[in-house]
Structures are given as C-alpha cells and as structure tokens.
Amino acid sequence: MQVLRKLLFPISLIYGLIVFLRNRLYDMGIYSSKSFSTKTICVGNLSVGGTGKTPMIELLVRALKEDYGVAILSRGYKRKSEGFLLSDEKTIVEDLGDEPFQLKTKFPEITVAVDADRRNGISQLENLIKPDVILLDDAFQHRKVKPDFSILLTAYDNLYVNDWYLPTGNLRDSKREASRANVIVVTKCPSDVSKQERASIAVKMNLAADQKLLFSYLRYNTDLKGAEVTLDSLRGEKVTLVTGIANPAPLEKYLLSEGLTFEHLKYNDHHFFSDQEIALLREKECILTTEKDYVRLQSKLPKLHYIEVKHEFLEDGKAILEAALNQFMTKTS
C-alpha cells in the first residue's frame, strides 16, 4: 500500500493544487463564508483518519452544558437519511450516523442534528431550537461556514506538519489552513511525552502568538460499559476486539499493555455490519468494542462490552482550553 501511495504522488500534486485554489477563492471572497448570529465552535482536522474529534466534542459539551444551551451539528457520515434531521427519542443510529447517535445517547438533554449542508443545518437550529452555541463536528475544512472559534486536532504520530496530500499522504486540506485555528491540540500523545519534545513540536508548527497549542493523551475507562464488567476481569478470557474506526492502533496497544490477549477483527471506519458478519460475531464468547461501534451493534449482539475513552490534557492544558472557551462565550458580538 505504501508503494502504491508513492506511485500516486502526481495525483496528490493535482489534489493539492485544487485544495490551494479552493482556499484562495474563499480567502479572496470569491467564494463566500457565512457567519451566523449564534455562536459556533468548530472541531476538526486537516487529515483523514482518527484524531479524537468525538471525545473532544464530548469534552466541550461537559464544559458548556451547565451554563449554555448547546446544540451539536454533524454531517452524519454514512447515515441512511438525507437532508436536515433533528434527533429525538425515536431516532435510530442508521438515520443519524454512529457518532451523532453516540453523542445523543450520552447526552440526551443536548440537541443533536445532522445535515451535510452546514449552513442549512445552522439556520434550522436557529429557527427551531435557538441554542446559545452550536458545536460543529468535523467542519474545519467546510469553509461555507465561518465559525467563531475553531479547535484543530492533529494526532501525535501523524502531525499535519509532517504529512502530505492525499492519496500519497493523509492531508485533505492545506497545512497553511492551521492558521485559522484558535486552539490546536496534539492528541494521542504518550502520557509521559517530555517538555523538550513538546517544545520541538511547537517549533515545527510555528504558530501565531494568539494561537494556543495543547497536548492530550487518551484515557480509557477500565470499567467497561454495555454488559458491565471491569477490564481486569477479561484477563485470561477469550476476547474478540471488534473495531470499525479509522485508527484502532492506540486502543490495541493499550489493551496489550493491560495484559489482555485477544483476536482483533478490523472493519472500515463507520462500518455497518451485515447479517452475515453479525452471525459470525454471535459465535464469539466475549466481544469488546469501541463506543462508536457499540451504538451500531448493541441491539444485535448479547454480552457486548465497550470501552469509553476521553482526552486528558498534559499539565494545565484543560484549564487553558476552558479559559479560552469562557472568554469566547462571554465576549459580546
């Protein structure tokens, strides 16, 4: 695969040129970016693959929901519905998409909507719900909307500054667009990453004085959900790990470090399981999966466990982010 990606380098040059021209047209005002009266916070990345956007949205919900009316707007990738959809207690995962459904399940008091047309989605939420703030999930490259505050995520093991355009690399947008972010979070770091290495990354990124650079790592909850057991109790058991996420490597590494032995059935990101695949999984003694996969499997498999994950910031990163959010939310338009 790596050889093929290198052979496709000429295509990545064409893709990069298209991305550059598109962004220039927005920068020059030839293509318009629309602002809205409702405060908007964008969470996204410059690359394909998992950088922890959903856990970041969860973190923002927890930080804001006690003081503000919060709504989440997502594209609803691979959902089986079309247009604008406002979730309610009858909404199913196939219509909402796995990540929005996960968020609605975890925060039933929060408004969750999906629409590939972010402008229309925001307008609908303003008319129907009138929230204080709208969290835009995976919308950094969606320049038809001009968010008021942007959080850009980049994974420690694949920093955008070291990457290249698709299909040779994983970038779907230009590195230069990082200048639009208010906060950049390097996610999935080792929990003991040194100050020297963080300083080296900061030099590489060469951010503006008003941009904040934070570092986070993934913390897994050892109290498993679904059929509730502890991670310790699965040691020595015949465990099947089932993942349909972009990058399961950090989870796999963590489980091995915790002494679990398991077979790993890997599926594509946002995978919807066929009847044949479900029949195969029902033959397994114990299935461990991610929270995103759980919402697609919970009605189909017994004795299904999932492991929660959240961002933990190094040093005072959480306080810095919360202070920036508070300053943004209390700032008058």
Side-chain angles (χ1 to χ4, degrees):
M1 180 60 72
Q2 291 301 317
V3 172
L4 177 60
R5 296 187 87 176
K6 290 178 180 178
L7 290 174
L8 294 174
F9 180 74
I11 296 177
S12 73
L13 293 175
I14 296 171
Y15 179 84
L17 178 60
I18 293 170
V19 168
F20 171 79
L21 292 174
R22 173 181 176 271
N23 281 314
R24 284 294 293 156
L25 291 171
Y26 275 107
D27 294 339
M28 296 168 63
I30 296 173
Y31 287 171
S32 63
S33 295
K34 184 176 180 180
S35 298
F36 289 83
S37 57
T38 303
K39 292 180 184 292
T40 52
I41 300 176
C42 168
V43 174
N45 53 21
L46 297 177
S47 63
V48 296
T51 54
K53 293 186 293 294
T54 301
M56 184 58 66
I57 291 287
E58 291 182 6
L59 187 152
L60 295 178
V61 170
R62 292 190 180 98
L64 297 169
K65 68 185 181 74
E66 298 302 323
D67 298 316
Y68 303 100
V70 179
I72 300 170
L73 179 63
S74 173
R75 175 186 175 187
Y77 185 64
K78 285 196 174 181
R79 64 189 171 111
K80 297 182 180 180
S81 61
E82 295 182 357
F84 177 81
L85 177 64
L86 185 64
S87 66
D88 58 29
E89 65 278 0
K90 297 179 181 178
T91 306
I92 61 176
V93 62
E94 288 83 3
D95 288 339
L96 200 62
D98 50 16
E99 289 167 339
F101 191 84
Q102 173 186 328
L103 292 164
K104 184 62 180 177
T105 302
K106 183 166 284 187
F107 304 105
E109 74 279 19
I110 298 297
T111 298
V112 177
V114 291
D115 197 337
D117 184 341
R118 302 307 207 288
R119 285 186 179 182
N120 180 68
I122 295 172
S123 296
Q124 294 276 8
L125 287 171
E126 286 184 332
N127 292 331
L128 297 171
I129 305 299
K130 297 179 175 58
D132 297 316
V133 59
I134 299 174
L135 306 181
L136 304 175
D137 181 27
D138 194 16
F140 193 82
Q141 76 286 351
H142 188 87
R143 297 201 60 185
K144 289 184 179 181
V145 171
K146 185 177 181 180
D148 302 304
F149 191 92
S150 291
I151 301 173
L152 178 66
L153 309 182
T154 183
Y156 168 85
D157 61 356
N158 191 26
L159 299 171
Y160 70 83
V161 289
N162 299 330
D163 208 347
W164 185 250
Y165 293 110
L166 290 165
T168 298
N170 292 312
L171 287 182
R172 57 179 173 174
D173 207 343
S174 169
K175 302 175 188 180
R176 297 169 48 135
E177 297 308 304
S179 63
R180 294 189 283 110
N182 300 90
V183 175
I184 295 177
V185 184
V186 179
T187 64
K188 303 184 178 181
C189 294
S191 59
D192 59 352
V193 61
S194 68
K195 288 185 178 181
Q196 291 83 355
E197 187 170 3
R198 282 180 271 153
S200 176
I201 290 172
V203 170
K204 285 182 181 180
M205 290 190 173
N206 191 29
L207 303 183
D210 61 345
Q211 291 182 292
K212 294 176 173 59
L213 177 62
L214 308 178
F215 295 83
S216 73
Y217 61 95
L218 296 178
R219 181 179 291 280
Y220 294 97
N221 188 350
T222 56
D223 292 324
L224 304 181
K225 305 299 181 180
E228 297 193 4
V229 297
T230 64
L231 197 62
D232 289 347
S233 69
L234 296 185
R235 291 194 182 100
E237 298 293 323
K238 194 172 182 179
V239 177
T240 299
L241 176 64
V242 177
T243 60
I245 58 177
N247 181 17
L251 174 58
E252 191 174 28
K253 181 179 178 181
Y254 171 75
L255 295 177
L256 289 171
S257 74
E258 290 295 306
L260 264 69
T261 56
F262 52 88
E263 66 169 332
H264 188 180
L265 301 182
K266 300 178 185 180
Y267 298 89
N268 291 332
D269 197 14
H270 305 280
H271 180 75
F272 277 94
F273 295 86
S274 68
D275 291 342
Q276 184 178 5
E277 290 165 340
I278 293 297
L280 171 66
L281 295 177
R282 281 181 176 164
E283 296 176 0
K284 304 299 180 181
E285 291 183 18
C286 175
I287 294 179
L288 178 61
T289 191
T290 69
E291 190 170 2
K292 185 169 80 170
D293 295 307
Y294 178 80
V295 300
R296 284 180 265 118
L297 290 169
Q298 60 179 321
S299 63
K300 301 173 182 178
L301 295 174
K303 298 181 181 179
L304 179 66
H305 315 286
Y306 73 87
I307 185 166
E308 289 182 311
V309 62
K310 65 178 181 178
H311 290 288
E312 290 283 358
F313 287 92
L314 297 175
E315 296 186 342
D316 55 352
K318 183 178 180 182
I320 293 172
L321 177 59
E322 290 179 345
L325 289 172
N326 182 62
Q327 182 180 22
F328 163 68
M329 291 302 300
T330 55
K331 180 180 177 182
T332 56
S333 302

